């Protein structure tokens, strides 16, 4: 498996001949975006690669469509150039066309001539504190595996805090590689409440799901992140050694075998 971190949540996944792109964000830095309910962010870093560097792509895995740090204008334009988009059920209704909407634990199978089928299962995600879904909207993660297999899973957490839905991931899946969205997001309007994982939470999730490798993403490039790599690593330093050694920080723009 080869992963190329483009920036933010955007990752090119190359597995068994498939080329999959997560949460496409390709706008240049400097612009501010509203997320609604008095929240928003400014993009502070551009992508390491352009859409032209990455195409062709077989499918986009979109954890949610309604926040610009997961789907910005340039990323939205890219969707028309990709055969399949898999996202949340409300997101598929908003996007229209052939977008496939999944609720947690629903699956779809990707099929393409010359490639082995690939099953994509939506996994639970909660993009904030308890009872926040009516405000922050629906988000999912994704589990990728060969149909019928229970091991060798690539799990992409999506924007989520650590909550009991992630325990279901550990119970149902044998995760090999976990891509965790970090950043420790907070907003002035909601004080100390978090909307994505911190390094401490990531360590708990890694201990729970026991992947071979953990790849942190979505912790840089936006002003609403309250914990970048350095802060996450400080918290991870307190985790047991067998948890720490699983974490692998990949260089942006560089294809990395995991």
């Amino acid at each position: 498996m080869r992963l190329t971190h483009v920036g933010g949540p955007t990752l090119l996944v190359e597995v068994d001949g498939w080329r999959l792109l997560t949460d496409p964000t390709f706008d240049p830095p400097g612009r501010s975006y509203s997320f609604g309910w008095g929240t928003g962010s400014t993009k502070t870093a551009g992508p390491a690669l352009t859409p032209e560097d990455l195409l062709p792509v077989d499918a986009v895995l979109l954890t949610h469509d309604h926040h610009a740090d997961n789907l910005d204008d340039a990323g939205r334009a890219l969707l028309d150039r990709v055969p399949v988009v898999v996202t949340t059920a409300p997101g598929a209704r908003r996007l229209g066309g052939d977008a496939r909407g999944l609720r947690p634990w629903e699956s779809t199978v990707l099929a393409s001539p010359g490639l082995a089928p690939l099953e994509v299962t939506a996994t639970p995600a909660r993009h904030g504190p308890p009872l926040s879904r009516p405000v922050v909207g629906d988000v999912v993660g994704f589990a990728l595996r060969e149909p019928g297999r229970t091991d060798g899973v690539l799990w992409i957490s999506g924007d989520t805090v650590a909550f009991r839905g992630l325990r279901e991931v550990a119970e149902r899946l044998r995760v090999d590689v976990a891509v965790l969205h970090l950043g420790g997001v907070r907003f002035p309007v909601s004080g100390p409440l978090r909307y994505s994982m911190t390094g401490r939470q990531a360590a708990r999730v890694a201990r729970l799901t026991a992947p071979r490798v953990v790849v942190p993403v979505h912790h840089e490039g936006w002003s609403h992140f309250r914990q970048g790599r350095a802060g996450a690593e400080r918290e991870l330093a307190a985790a047991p050694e067998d948890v720490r050694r699983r974490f692998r920080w990949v260089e942006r723009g560089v294809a990395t075998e995991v």
Side-chain angles (χ1 to χ4, degrees), residues 3-36:
L3 304 179
T4 306
H5 186 204
V6 178
T10 309
L11 192 72
L12 177 68
V13 178
E14 297 176 89
V15 56
D16 296 335
W18 289 94
R19 293 174 58 83
L20 311 172
L21 191 67
T22 67
D23 289 356
T25 54
F26 293 99
D27 283 359
R31 179 177 166 187
S32 296
Y33 302 78
S34 172
F35 297 159

Side-chain angles (χ1 to χ4, degrees), residues 53-146:
D53 294 325
L54 300 170
L55 291 169
V57 169
D58 298 303
V60 162
L61 306 178
L62 180 58
T63 65
H64 57 302
D65 68 305
H66 53 282
H67 292 156
D69 62 321
N70 296 83
L71 182 68
D72 58 18
D73 290 344
R76 194 174 293 269
L78 175 74
L79 299 184
D80 291 334
R81 306 170 68 182
V82 177
V84 179
V85 177
V86 184
T87 188
T88 63
R93 290 194 295 269
R94 286 188 291 264
L95 293 173
D98 297 325
R100 304 183 191 180
L102 300 178
R103 300 186 187 280
W105 300 118
E106 293 181 340
S107 298
T108 188
V109 175
L110 302 180
S112 183
L115 297 177
L118 187 65
E119 184 178 66
V120 179
T121 301
T123 60
R126 196 183 77 198
H127 198 358
L131 307 179
S132 63
R133 192 176 75 171
V135 175
V136 300
D138 287 281
V139 179
V140 292
F142 294 107
L144 280 62
R145 57 185 167 180
E146 295 178 19

Side-chain angles (χ1 to χ4, degrees), residues 61-239:
L61 306 178
L62 180 58
T63 65
H64 57 302
D65 68 305
H66 53 282
H67 292 156
D69 62 321
N70 296 83
L71 182 68
D72 58 18
D73 290 344
R76 194 174 293 269
L78 175 74
L79 299 184
D80 291 334
R81 306 170 68 182
V82 177
V84 179
V85 177
V86 184
T87 188
T88 63
R93 290 194 295 269
R94 286 188 291 264
L95 293 173
D98 297 325
R100 304 183 191 180
L102 300 178
R103 300 186 187 280
W105 300 118
E106 293 181 340
S107 298
T108 188
V109 175
L110 302 180
S112 183
L115 297 177
L118 187 65
E119 184 178 66
V120 179
T121 301
T123 60
R126 196 183 77 198
H127 198 358
L131 307 179
S132 63
R133 192 176 75 171
V135 175
V136 300
D138 287 281
V139 179
V140 292
F142 294 107
L144 280 62
R145 57 185 167 180
E146 295 178 19
R149 287 190 61 175
T150 59
D151 60 349
V153 172
L154 167 63
W155 174 49
I156 300 160
S157 72
D159 286 10
T160 185
V161 294
F163 77 116
R164 65 181 180 182
L166 302 191
R167 185 171 295 277
E168 294 180 37
V169 173
E171 292 170 348
R172 294 188 182 214
L173 303 173
R174 293 174 61 185
V175 178
D176 179 51
V177 176
V179 175
L180 300 186
H181 290 207
L182 304 189
V185 167
R186 291 191 304 195
F187 298 102
V189 70
S190 53
L193 298 178
R194 297 280 189 181
Y195 295 85
S196 65
M197 279 190 275
T198 61
R200 184 175 292 108
Q201 288 188 331
R204 286 168 47 200
V205 171
R207 191 163 55 245
L208 186 68
T209 55
R212 176 177 56 87
V213 177
V214 178
V215 177
V217 299
H218 210 22
H219 49 78
E220 41 70 45
W222 291 83
S223 64
H224 64 307
F225 292 134
R226 294 296 181 265
Q227 188 183 78
R229 174 175 173 175
E233 287 189 309
R234 282 194 295 272
E235 292 189 350
L236 287 169

